[in-house]
């Protein structure tokens, strides 16, 4: 199976990895068919866990390889990774200010982005979709980087990144479907909205891989761009959201656990 995966092109690999992470979100959303209760403490732990995964993935799988790939810049070897990182953060900040979305547990009037009359369920899905765009990009550029032949970027590292993001997508699916169901939405519709939030991941993964493959010199920028986008989402949205209900210690240990899981995956597989 692994040999077959290695034999595919980077865009195909990115597509399969993106479909895997989408499937993990759908699996999490499907929990709504098994349970009706909504445990806020558990959700805050899972949000913290997702934040830890994203932080560790940004460092080990994206920023460090981006810096190593910039070695031929001499004393300016810090520039590509720094520029890409800043651009990624600015890009997501722009989406955050324009894309209408609503964070889990927030009242409708606290919706962010351009004001619309869209339903609460749509705004909740868009909030998680905003998280998933940089995750899909990260997967795509990682597989594109592996195809470059640089020793700093390997197929195993790209797979470990996809596994880590897939693991943290499981609670993200739960985080959409369960609150919706507890507010009166049917289980089927709650599942539909939950999995829908991750449709963007395989699309972003393919775009990220294609961009790197066809414009190889942008590789360090692309890796750090995805890192900047992910870290912006973590600091601006995921961590604050995990601590809104006073479960700060639980959410923090969730983040520590997620960081540890991603670090082990990257070191063990990468």
């Amino acid at each position: 199976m692994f040999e077959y995966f290695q034999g595919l092109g980077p865009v195909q690999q990115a597509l399969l990895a993106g479909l895997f992470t989408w499937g993990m979100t759908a699996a999490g959303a499907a929990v709504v068919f098994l349970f009706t209760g909504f445990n806020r403490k558990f959700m805050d732990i899972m949000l913290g866990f997702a934040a830890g995964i994203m932080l560790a993935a940004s460092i080990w799988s994206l920023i460090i390889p981006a810096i190593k790939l910039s070695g031929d810049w001499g004393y300016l070897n810090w520039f590509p990774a720094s520029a890409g990182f800043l651009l990624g953060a600015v890009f997501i900040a722009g989406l955050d200010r324009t894309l209408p979305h609503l964070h889990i547990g927030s009242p409708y009037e606290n919706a962010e982005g351009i004001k619309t009359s869209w339903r609460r369920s749509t705004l909740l899905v868009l909030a998680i979709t905003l998280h998933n765009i940089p995750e899909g990009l990260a997967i795509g550029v990682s597989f594109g980087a592996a195809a470059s032949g640089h020793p700093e970027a390997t197929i195993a590292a790209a797979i470990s990144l996809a596994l880590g993001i897939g693991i943290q997508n499981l609670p993200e699916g739960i985080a959409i479907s369960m609150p919706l169901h507890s507010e009166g939405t049917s289980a089927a519709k709650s599942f539909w909205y939950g999995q829908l939030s991750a449709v963007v991941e395989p699309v972003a993964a393919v775009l990220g891989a294609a961009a790197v493959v066809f414009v190889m010199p942008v590789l360090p920028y692309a890796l750090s761009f995805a890192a900047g986008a992910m870290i912006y989402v973590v600091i601006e949205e995921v961590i604050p959201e995990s601590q809104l209900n006073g479960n700060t210690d639980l959410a923090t240990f969730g983040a520590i656990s997620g960081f540890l899981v991603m670090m082990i995956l990257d070191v063990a597989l990468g």
Side-chain angles (χ1 to χ4, degrees):
M1 180 69 180
F2 185 72
E3 290 77 11
Y4 171 77
F5 190 80
Q6 282 186 306
L8 298 174
V11 173
Q12 294 169 303
Q13 292 170 343
L15 175 60
L16 288 178
L19 290 173
F20 163 71
T21 56
W22 178 18
M24 291 294 284
T25 305
V31 170
V32 75
F33 294 113
L34 304 176
F35 303 99
T36 55
F38 174 55
N39 189 310
R40 186 67 239 191
K41 286 185 178 180
F42 172 76
M43 197 58 59
D44 290 341
I45 292 171
M46 290 297 97
L47 284 169
F49 182 81
I53 289 274
M54 293 169 77
L55 284 173
S58 297
I59 295 169
W60 267 273
S61 300
L62 300 170
I63 295 175
I64 291 176
I67 293 172
K68 288 181 177 178
L69 287 168
S70 305
D72 56 356
W73 278 66
Y75 66 92
L76 286 176
N77 60 353
W78 53 269
F79 179 78
S82 300
F85 185 85
L86 180 60
L87 286 172
V90 170
F91 171 72
I92 293 298
L95 281 182
D96 186 53
R97 286 177 174 265
T98 55
L99 183 70
H101 62 284
L102 179 67
H103 299 300
I104 300 163
S106 298
Y108 183 84
E109 56 270 19
N110 286 357
E112 299 180 18
I114 297 172
K115 299 303 178 184
T116 71
S117 58
W118 294 350
R119 291 183 300 176
R120 177 181 176 84
S121 57
T122 302
L123 296 175
L124 285 169
V125 170
L126 288 174
I128 300 297
T129 301
L130 188 63
H131 297 186
N132 290 335
I133 291 172
E135 292 172 10
L137 286 173
I139 291 170
V141 297
S142 293
F143 281 104
S148 70
H150 288 284
E152 294 82 4
T154 65
I155 187 70
I159 290 173
S160 70
L161 174 64
L163 283 174
I165 289 176
I167 290 169
Q168 66 96 26
N169 273 7
L170 196 68
E172 277 194 355
I174 299 172
I176 280 287
S177 64
M178 293 300 288
L180 284 175
H181 192 39
S182 67
E183 293 171 3
T185 306
S186 69
K189 281 189 175 180
S190 298
F191 166 76
W192 172 254
Y193 287 128
Q195 63 82 32
L196 191 63
S197 65
V199 170
V200 70
E201 285 204 11
V203 176
V206 167
L207 291 176
V212 170
V213 168
F214 291 112
V215 193
M216 195 59 71
V218 306
L219 182 51
Y221 297 93
L223 287 166
S224 56
F225 181 95
M230 282 214 292
I231 289 181
Y232 180 92
V233 167
V234 169
I235 295 173
E236 202 274 337
E237 297 192 8
V238 183
I239 291 177
E241 192 174 318
S242 72
Q243 309 211 2
L244 279 176
N245 300 280
N247 300 315
T248 54
D249 288 344
L250 292 174
T252 300
F253 275 106
I256 294 295
S257 300
F259 193 99
L260 186 62
V261 166
M262 188 64 232
M263 182 173 65
I264 291 171
L265 274 176
D266 194 82
V267 175
L269 298 179

